[in-house]
Amino acid sequence: MCKEIVRSPEFCGKLTFPVSLKQPGARDGTIQCFIKRDKSNLTYHLFLCLSPALLVENGKFLLSAKRTRRTTCTEYVISMDADNISRSSSTYIGKLRSNFLGTKFIIYDTQPPHTSANITPSGCTSRRFYSKKVSPKVPSGSYNIAQIAYELNVLGTRGPRRMHCIMHSIPASSIDVGGSVPGQPELLPRSLEDSFRSISFSKSLDHSVDFSSARFSEIGALREDDEDGKVRPLILKNKPPRWHEQLQCWCLNFRGRVTVASVKNFQLIAATQPAAGAPTPSQPAPPEHDKIILQFGKVGKDMFTMDYRYPLSAFQAFAICLSSFDTKLACE
């Protein structure tokens, strides 16, 4: 009955159920959120904006993340619980992992993407279950759904960071007229605890990627598969800022949603991808490719705004923004 009454965020622009966090955002307009950073315990909390004010202390809690520095990488564990942020919790829904330099990231989801996505399972390892609440019939996996790469600043020139994201779980055709994101989770007749878990499998799967230098070297290349049976993923790039002569700085128009200059600020748009029927230089790109899909910026000492829209979900947008918090000496 709820499924017939409550529409998904894509059409209503509201986050109603926990499953809405993994469904695409609104097509008409953006969903405005903010992130609170706590440097003392290395945690980040995502809230839904309930008022138009930038600096607010209250909001609807959505997701949380905890940063853990390891020998060869940095890992952000993402949870639906504000306090219990660990992989052993039943509210664990994914993670973000970086390479040693913090220039390349991989987003992992506990739920497998749609079957037509170009997901290459490698480095398969056994998945351990710590929580007694995890149902043995609904195993939790680790699926590579997106890759984020920041360009190295070899010359050391001043300027903003340059990044691009390869969204393996989102086809490039999703932003075209009549396009959609296949395989998104729906309201299912089961407990909210398992709302983000995958459908029953015969055995536990973990499609984690081996984090060696060879594996991360594959992220730098944009893999656009045009072969039969493969879907080209959506590729996002940061919108290039313009140089303001009077202010002597790089500027982006955040429409009042960002008030503090920071190298972490960014706006993501769809990258132009050559394909059959794609626009040529003499034929401008359609308006859908110029829309800002995700913007992130600083408004206070430990306060940041995050505005996203279709085809990204809140989980995907939050993970991308977390990558901006990581120190990137080689990119600045």
Side-chain angles (χ1 to χ4, degrees):
M1 183 174 63
C2 291
K3 183 178 179 181
E4 298 297 330
I5 299 175
V6 181
R7 295 183 299 170
S8 63
E10 179 181 345
F11 302 102
C12 70
K14 298 179 180 179
L15 301 177
T16 310
F17 295 103
V19 74
S20 302
L21 299 174
K22 286 196 173 181
Q23 292 177 327
R27 284 181 179 265
D28 300 328
T30 60
I31 297 179
Q32 297 182 344
C33 309
F34 65 92
I35 299 174
K36 282 186 179 181
R37 176 180 60 182
D38 189 342
K39 291 184 178 180
S40 61
N41 53 15
L42 302 177
T43 58
Y44 307 83
H45 291 80
L46 176 67
F47 297 88
L48 179 67
C49 291
L50 300 179
S51 67
L54 290 180
L55 292 175
V56 294
E57 293 298 328
N58 58 348
K60 179 182 179 181
F61 169 77
L62 300 178
L63 293 170
S64 62
K66 185 175 180 61
R67 179 178 181 267
T68 303
R69 180 65 183 177
R70 304 188 185 279
T71 305
T72 58
C73 66
T74 300
E75 189 171 279
Y76 294 82
V77 174
I78 303 176
S79 171
M80 292 188 298
D81 194 301
D83 301 316
N84 186 9
I85 312 174
S86 67
R87 293 188 62 184
S88 61
S89 171
S90 61
T91 55
Y92 165 71
I93 63 170
K95 65 183 178 181
L96 173 75
R97 187 181 289 180
S98 75
N99 62 350
F100 179 75
L101 294 176
T103 56
K104 297 176 181 179
F105 297 79
I106 296 179
I107 302 175
Y108 291 99
D109 195 342
T110 56
Q111 184 177 15
H114 59 92
T115 54
S116 60
N118 181 23
I119 305 295
T120 305
S122 59
C124 296
T125 57
S126 62
R127 175 77 163 92
R128 293 177 294 176
F129 294 94
Y130 299 93
S131 176
K132 296 180 180 178
K133 294 183 179 181
V134 177
S135 171
K137 296 182 180 180
V138 189
S140 174
S142 189
Y143 300 88
N144 175 0
I145 63 167
Q147 297 173 344
I148 308 168
Y150 290 82
E151 292 185 15
L152 294 175
N153 189 358
V154 180
L155 300 179
T157 56
R158 294 184 62 186
R161 296 172 179 170
R162 297 178 181 178
M163 62 184 292
H164 67 261
C165 309
I166 306 176
M167 311 301 298
H168 295 299
S169 59
I170 304 177
S173 59
S174 63
I175 60 175
D176 296 335
V177 178
S180 62
V181 179
Q184 55 181 290
E186 297 179 352
L187 292 174
L188 298 176
R190 51 180 162 173
S191 64
L192 292 179
E193 179 184 28
D194 296 331
S195 60
F196 287 143
R197 302 299 180 181
S198 58
I199 303 174
S200 298
F201 283 76
S202 58
K203 60 181 180 178
S204 176
L205 299 176
D206 186 1
H207 294 167
S208 298
V209 172
D210 181 16
F211 276 81
S212 62
S213 58
R215 293 294 180 185
F216 268 107
S217 63
E218 298 174 359
I219 301 180
L222 299 183
R223 298 181 299 176
E224 298 183 8
D225 300 301
D226 292 328
E227 301 177 8
D228 294 338
K230 293 186 178 181
V231 178
R232 293 166 56 248
L234 174 67
I235 299 177
L236 304 177
K237 66 176 183 179
N238 64 304
K239 186 177 181 179
R242 60 179 180 86
W243 178 257
H244 199 290
E245 288 293 340
Q246 294 180 345
L247 299 178
Q248 289 294 298
C249 65
W250 297 97
C251 295
L252 281 171
N253 184 10
F254 288 92
R255 301 186 182 279
R257 290 286 295 163
V258 177
T259 58
V260 180
S262 173
V263 70
K264 297 179 177 64
N265 302 346
F266 66 81
Q267 292 178 330
L268 292 184
I269 59 176
T272 303
Q273 304 176 42
T280 59
S282 59
Q283 179 183 359
E288 290 78 9
H289 290 256
D290 295 330
K291 289 182 179 179
I292 297 173
I293 297 176
L294 171 64
Q295 73 173 20
F296 170 79
K298 193 172 184 179
V299 294
K301 182 180 179 181
D302 292 305
M303 292 282 293
F304 303 82
T305 56
M306 185 196 87
D307 302 338
Y308 75 99
R309 64 178 302 143
Y310 175 89
L312 288 183
S313 66
F315 165 71
Q316 294 166 339
F318 185 44
I320 294 174
C321 292
L322 288 174
S323 70
S324 185
F325 285 108
D326 217 43
T327 304
K328 304 170 183 58
L329 297 178
C331 302
E332 301 170 0

